[in-house]
């Protein structure tokens, strides 16, 4: 077991942001966490990354309590892409990506090439568009070369073509042995590219199962209050939403 969260609870004021949530991630898994706004998706990823400490429960990374680990040791096994970051940093995109392995310097060229953004390497970060900056942050997470990647809304500011490109890359990375946990509001894409889906609502796990089982259930309709239609793409059943 690469990562295991057991009965984690996060409380803000009188609200349970996460309520008795348990999640486990194995090597080579591709997992997408979905749910409406405020469901607890970002809070869950921050807990899994050791950034937010839960009020109760435990998170183990390689069988070690993550709250007792040094950030450097966590970074050797886990990379984390936050949902929001500031691009007001006085450095080039290449230098920023290089920080992903600052204790073990290596050229970031391969990460830029894999994301097809080599043309951005010499750009000053503050001059990048929102989508370009997101791709550079993805390159940094990739360059870190951790066994587990936690990606919070990795395709939020990206156009449709780039969205598919990033999720296809996630699929390739898991085939190479890495583990991916991502959050997304794009259910039609999530059900196409990820093998397992965790459905969160109001801080609780409503379903955690293989994508085919989630697609065949009514849980997403109940959580989102929308109707969904199953369509087949490349031999795989995916969901397309429409108003009830």
């Amino acid at each position: 077991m690469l990562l295991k969260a057991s009965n984690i609870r996060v409380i803000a004021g009188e609200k349970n942001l996460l309520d008795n949530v348990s999640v486990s991630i194995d090597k080579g898994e591709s997992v997408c966490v979905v749910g409406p706004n405020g469901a607890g998706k970002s809070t869950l990823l921050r807990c899994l990354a050791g950034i937010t400490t839960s009020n109760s429960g435990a998170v183990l990374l390689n069988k070690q309590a993550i709250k007792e680990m040094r950030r450097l040791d966590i970074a050797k096994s886990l990379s984390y892409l936050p949902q929001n970051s500031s691009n007001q940093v006085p450095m080039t995109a290449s230098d920023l990506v290089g920080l992903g392995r600052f204790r073990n310097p290596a050229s970031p060229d391969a990460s830029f090439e894999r994301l097809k953004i080599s043309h951005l390497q010499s750009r000053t970060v503050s001059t990048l568009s929102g989508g370009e900056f997101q791709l550079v942050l993805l390159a940094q997470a990739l360059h870190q070369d951790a066994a587990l990647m936690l990606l919070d809304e990795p395709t939020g500011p990206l156009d449709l073509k780039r969205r598919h490109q990033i999720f296809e890359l996630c699929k390739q990375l898991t085939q190479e042995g890495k583990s991916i946990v991502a959050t997304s509001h794009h259910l039609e894409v999530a059900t196409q590219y990820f093998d397992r889906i965790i459905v969160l609502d109001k801080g609780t796990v409503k379903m955690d199962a293989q994508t085919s089982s989630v697609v065949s259930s009514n849980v997403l309709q109940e959580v989102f209050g929308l109707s969904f239609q199953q369509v087949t793409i490349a031999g795989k059943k995916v969901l397309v939403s429409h108003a009830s």
Side-chain angles (χ1 to χ4, degrees), residues 225-244:
L226 293 171
S227 295
F228 289 88
Q229 179 181 355
Q230 291 187 26
V231 298
T232 302
I233 299 176
K236 187 175 184 179
K237 289 183 178 180
V238 302
L239 291 180
V240 178
S241 62
H242 57 88
S244 301

Side-chain angles (χ1 to χ4, degrees), residues 29-214:
E29 277 201 286
S30 62
V31 182
C32 191
V33 183
V34 304
N37 292 331
K41 302 183 297 297
S42 295
T43 302
L44 175 59
L45 256 65
R46 288 197 297 269
C47 282
L48 297 182
I51 294 170
T52 294
T53 301
S54 59
N55 295 87
S56 60
V59 177
L60 302 181
L61 177 62
N62 294 322
K63 300 182 179 180
Q64 298 182 66
I66 199 167
K67 67 180 181 181
E68 298 174 0
M69 298 174 65
R70 298 185 306 159
R71 291 309 309 176
L72 178 59
D73 293 328
I74 293 172
K76 292 176 181 178
S77 298
L78 180 156
S79 62
Y80 168 69
L81 175 72
Q83 186 175 147
N84 298 301
S85 297
S86 172
N87 69 340
Q88 298 305 305
V89 290
M91 62 177 63
T92 65
S94 184
D95 289 340
L96 180 62
V97 171
L99 292 178
R101 295 177 67 176
F102 70 98
R103 290 293 180 93
N104 184 22
S107 171
D109 293 356
S111 297
F112 278 97
E113 291 169 4
R114 190 152 194 186
L115 283 161
K116 299 179 173 61
I117 56 169
S118 295
H119 60 287
L120 299 179
Q121 283 189 253
S122 62
R123 289 273 299 277
T124 302
V125 172
S126 60
T127 69
L128 299 173
S129 70
E132 289 172 333
F133 181 52
Q134 185 75 351
L135 290 167
V136 168
L137 291 178
L138 282 163
Q140 184 187 59
L142 183 62
H143 185 57
Q144 192 173 326
D145 197 29
L148 172 62
M149 299 177 72
L150 303 178
L151 310 175
D152 195 359
E153 289 288 345
T155 63
L158 302 183
D159 60 45
L160 187 60
K161 182 177 180 180
R162 285 291 193 180
R163 188 182 306 163
H164 281 276
Q165 175 193 335
I166 295 307
F167 282 139
E168 180 62 37
L169 175 60
C170 288
K171 185 177 179 180
Q172 293 171 6
L173 290 170
T174 56
Q175 291 171 347
E176 295 168 10
K178 291 189 182 298
S179 301
I180 307 287
V181 181
T183 67
S184 181
H185 286 291
H186 305 296
L187 294 176
E188 72 286 357
V189 181
T191 54
Q192 183 177 350
Y193 288 101
F194 288 84
D195 296 327
R196 176 179 154 206
I197 291 181
I198 297 172
V199 183
L200 276 182
D201 187 30
K202 299 176 182 176
T204 64
V205 176
K206 297 300 182 182
M207 190 170 186
D208 179 355
Q210 294 297 301
T211 300
S212 57
S213 297
V214 175

